[in-house]
Amino acid sequence: MGAGLIVNGQPADSLPLTDRGLQYGDGLFETMRWQNGAVQFWDDHYARLQKGCQQLGIPCPDKELLDSELRKLIDNARALAERRVIKFILTRGSGGRGYKSPDDVKPTRIFSLHPFPDYPEKNYSQGVRLRLCETRLAKNPALAGIKHLNRLEQVLARNEWQTDEFAEGLMLDQDEHVIEATMSNVFWLKGEKIFTPSVEQCGIAGIMRGKILQIAEDLNFDTEVGEYNLDDLLTSGGVFLSNSILGIWPVSHFMDKHWTPHPVIQSLAQKLQS
């Protein structure tokens, strides 16, 4: 059993085959950055976990319990690097065959520790190439915003390309509205106003997305959240992506458009780092 995996508070490397996370994707997850001896934005991740548990009807573990399991995970990793990725998965636990939840729900808690991705420095300084995915996101307000375990749409979209030419793929919904990228939220600028799509019908309300909107307000930038199409993005003065691990990546190329890193994007990235 590896030091980088804790299941229900104990080192482990397996799950029951009856676990509903395996059987049905019945659960939630959070992907977090460990840096400077702490999980960044842990309170925000836990708040989103609570919201997801409420939407799915899964009992949410106490934060104190998860804090203690986090400490055990870190203590077991004796040679802890400065930065790591921590993933937390919560499933509804084991149940019999069939979709009906068991009467006595005992959720499964899984913490795992991973190396931090070795992203090229140019992703931050020069920007990344973004492609348009053919896979569309289905609208479902009951699942929108939360990080549930059903990620097949993102899996299909990410497997549309196999080369390193593109760092990310943009995803639309069935009505051709821009929603997000496969692993990140998307923003763009017109003048000094910042736009990002609504995630009330589909998509993930990223922790970094919320932080960026908050930072933009602190820096006195106007922001707007709504429904947008590709023309809104293509006629913008700059595009960028965000998530809790990569932070902020400017987009340099998308379809036939080319952007140089916008000063507003650089301001947001600097404020985020500070």
Side-chain angles (χ1 to χ4, degrees):
M1 290 181 285
L5 191 63
I6 299 288
V7 179
N8 294 329
Q10 300 299 322
D13 58 4
S14 62
L15 287 175
L17 295 179
T18 54
D19 192 277
R20 291 177 65 89
L22 172 64
Q23 294 279 351
Y24 307 116
D26 188 358
L28 302 153
F29 73 104
E30 295 288 332
T31 307
M32 302 166 283
R33 177 195 288 243
W34 169 272
Q35 188 166 333
N36 299 325
V39 175
Q40 284 194 330
F41 311 130
W42 172 222
D43 288 345
D44 299 278
H45 282 284
Y46 183 73
R48 183 171 61 184
L49 178 70
Q50 287 181 303
K51 183 177 185 295
C53 284
Q54 183 178 17
Q55 286 183 226
L56 297 186
I58 297 175
C60 187
D62 290 337
K63 190 168 183 292
E64 292 76 13
L65 173 64
L66 299 187
D67 284 338
S68 68
E69 293 178 351
L70 262 173
R71 287 193 297 271
K72 182 178 291 188
L73 177 74
I74 298 306
D75 289 344
N76 286 351
R78 303 185 187 282
L80 189 64
E82 179 184 356
R83 296 185 302 173
R84 299 291 285 272
V85 174
I86 293 177
K87 185 170 184 178
F88 175 67
I89 298 174
L90 181 73
T91 80
R92 201 181 299 270
S94 288
R97 196 197 70 80
Y99 296 135
K100 183 181 181 298
S101 298
D103 294 331
D104 184 19
V105 175
K106 296 180 179 178
T108 301
R109 307 178 307 277
I110 307 165
F111 275 106
S112 56
L113 193 64
H114 308 270
F116 199 85
D118 186 21
Y119 294 129
E121 191 281 330
K122 66 180 182 179
N123 287 14
Y124 300 92
S125 59
Q126 300 175 29
V128 299
R129 298 181 71 94
L130 179 68
R131 75 184 301 276
L132 181 63
C133 295
E134 294 181 9
T135 304
R136 295 294 186 261
L137 291 165
K139 291 185 176 183
N140 188 344
L143 298 177
I146 63 176
K147 293 198 75 169
H148 56 81
L149 290 176
N150 303 119
R151 294 290 125 199
L152 281 178
E153 292 169 329
Q154 287 77 10
V155 169
L156 291 173
R158 180 56 188 87
N159 281 285
E160 290 180 20
W161 79 98
Q162 303 299 326
T163 70
D164 294 333
E165 178 184 1
F166 299 102
E168 255 287 41
L170 186 71
M171 299 189 70
L172 312 180
D173 67 13
Q174 294 167 325
D175 294 324
E176 303 296 299
H177 293 129
V178 176
I179 302 297
E180 62 187 5
T182 65
M183 65 172 183
S184 56
N185 290 116
V186 59
F187 297 79
W188 58 89
L189 302 109
K190 291 188 177 182
E192 292 194 348
K193 187 172 184 178
I194 299 169
F195 297 80
T196 195
S198 168
V199 290
E200 292 184 358
Q201 299 295 316
C202 57
I204 292 176
I207 299 303
M208 194 60 66
R209 174 182 180 270
K211 291 298 177 185
I212 289 169
L213 290 172
Q214 178 182 326
I215 289 171
E217 182 178 335
D218 293 342
L219 295 175
N220 295 318
F221 294 120
D222 290 332
T223 62
E224 182 177 303
V225 178
E227 290 189 342
Y228 310 104
N229 57 35
L230 275 177
D231 285 342
D232 294 305
L233 187 151
L234 290 169
T235 56
S236 69
V239 180
F240 64 98
L241 309 171
S242 75
N243 73 25
S244 293
I245 306 303
L246 63 85
I248 289 177
W249 282 349
V251 172
S252 60
H253 294 82
F254 176 64
M255 300 179 73
D256 60 350
K257 294 289 292 186
H258 169 69
W259 296 277
T260 56
H262 195 286
V264 170
I265 301 175
Q266 294 171 333
S267 296
L268 291 170
Q270 290 169 1
K271 179 69 173 177
L272 182 64
Q273 287 193 353
S274 66

